[in-house]
Amino acid sequence: MNRLQNKIAIITGGNSGIGEATAKLFAAEGATVVITARREDELKRVRDEITAAGGQCVYVPGDVTVTADVEHVVAETIDRFGRVDILVNNAGIPDSHKRVAWVTDEFWDTVHDTDLKGVMRFCRAVLPHMEARNYGSIVNVCSIGGIYYCAGAAYSSAKAGLRGLTVNMAIQYFSTGIRVNSVSPGSTLTPLFNPDNMGDVDVEMMEITAQRHYQDRTAGMLQPIQQAYAILFLASDEASGINGQDIVVDAGGRL
């Protein structure tokens, strides 16, 4: 307990799935969490559940694809708490395992704008505040799709780019007290796997990629909290000697 005592943490996509689990875990470990996402009703729900459990949480609605929204979230955090100690870039969208021949320009741009450029926007807004204090921890939620390229074309390339961005920032800020790491989740039971979100999935592509790793593509499904614990470790001072690294959390499914 209290591994993040008195830390101020921004968590994007904090209204569901891995982001929600991370926000609740961070709050239980003593952090004040600022959650942001597009759906305000879900942000309110998570905020209320955290505060009911005795944690500290506020929410600021925003869209990671809108620069003004990103800057507003960071400005609100600074105005209220004076600093940002931790940034968890979790917000992202899937690409339904669409192969290249099925990807339109618009679809490609939408996935990359959210999953890669959205992270850049938040880092760009937060880093000057962290650098002024020579302290900060950024954890980017990548994916095994960005390591083993086992998702669709748009998602795999965006997450591979995010892994590259993570290492690049770690190099840039090596001489400061800022660390930048990532977690690469395997298949995790989040709302993205709800039937309503699976209607346009390229099932054949999923089967092709699953054959390389899982005999059963439902094997190795994890819970969001299992990803949150890895994020917690990298965000905490316990990982003060870790920078530019990635933790794959997939229950060994890619071994």
Side-chain angles (χ1 to χ4, degrees):
M1 298 293 289
N2 300 324
R3 296 164 77 182
L4 300 180
Q5 190 66 35
N6 298 321
K7 303 295 187 185
I8 308 299
I10 296 175
I11 302 172
T12 72
N15 61 343
S16 66
I18 294 171
E20 176 181 347
T22 301
K24 290 177 176 178
L25 180 60
F26 276 26
E29 291 288 345
T32 296
V33 293
V34 179
I35 55 175
T36 183
R38 291 175 296 180
R39 292 176 295 162
E40 186 169 1
D41 57 337
E42 288 298 294
L43 288 171
K44 287 181 179 178
R45 176 187 61 80
V46 174
R47 187 274 313 273
D48 291 346
E49 290 177 3
I50 289 174
T51 56
Q56 301 294 319
C57 178
V58 299
Y59 72 85
V60 184
D63 185 336
V64 299
T65 69
V66 179
T67 297
D69 284 5
V70 172
E71 293 176 347
H72 174 66
V73 172
V74 175
E76 281 288 302
T77 303
I78 297 297
D79 286 347
R80 294 190 190 199
F81 306 111
R83 67 186 194 277
V84 179
D85 298 305
I86 299 165
L87 169 64
V88 177
N89 285 302
N90 167 74
I93 58 174
D95 71 349
S96 301
H97 274 74
K98 294 184 187 296
R99 63 196 86 180
V100 171
W102 293 16
V103 175
T104 64
D105 288 355
E106 181 181 10
F107 184 78
W108 176 276
D109 290 344
T110 297
V111 172
H112 277 248
D113 197 23
T114 303
D115 293 358
L116 179 55
K117 195 173 180 180
V119 174
M120 183 279 295
R121 290 186 183 98
F122 256 100
C123 290
R124 183 176 63 192
V126 163
L127 279 165
H129 299 285
M130 289 182 171
E131 190 171 17
R133 299 175 54 239
N134 290 315
Y135 181 86
S137 178
I138 296 174
V139 183
N140 296 324
V141 179
C142 292
S143 169
I144 57 171
I147 297 175
Y148 302 107
Y149 318 113
C150 52
Y155 187 84
S156 290
S157 57
K159 291 298 187 177
L162 179 53
R163 180 63 196 136
L165 177 63
T166 299
V167 176
N168 183 265
M169 289 190 294
I171 293 170
Q172 288 184 52
Y173 290 90
F174 178 79
S175 61
T176 74
I178 301 169
R179 298 181 297 108
V180 189
N181 294 288
S182 62
V183 169
S184 288
S187 296
T188 305
L189 289 169
T190 72
L192 296 178
F193 283 91
N194 289 345
D196 291 344
N197 295 325
M198 297 291 284
D200 66 341
V201 168
D202 184 348
V203 176
E204 183 179 351
M205 181 62 178
M206 287 186 71
E207 296 292 353
I208 290 170
T209 58
Q211 286 171 11
R212 294 186 56 226
H213 306 290
Y214 298 127
Q215 293 299 313
D216 174 1
R217 65 183 171 88
T218 63
M221 294 289 281
L222 301 175
Q223 296 295 327
I225 189 63
Q226 292 174 284
Q227 307 297 340
Y229 275 114
I231 295 168
L232 169 65
F233 169 65
L234 289 176
S236 74
D237 289 339
E238 293 174 2
S240 61
I242 300 176
N243 194 22
Q245 303 304 307
D246 182 70
I247 297 178
V248 174
V249 185
D250 72 342
R254 265 51 184 183
L255 295 177

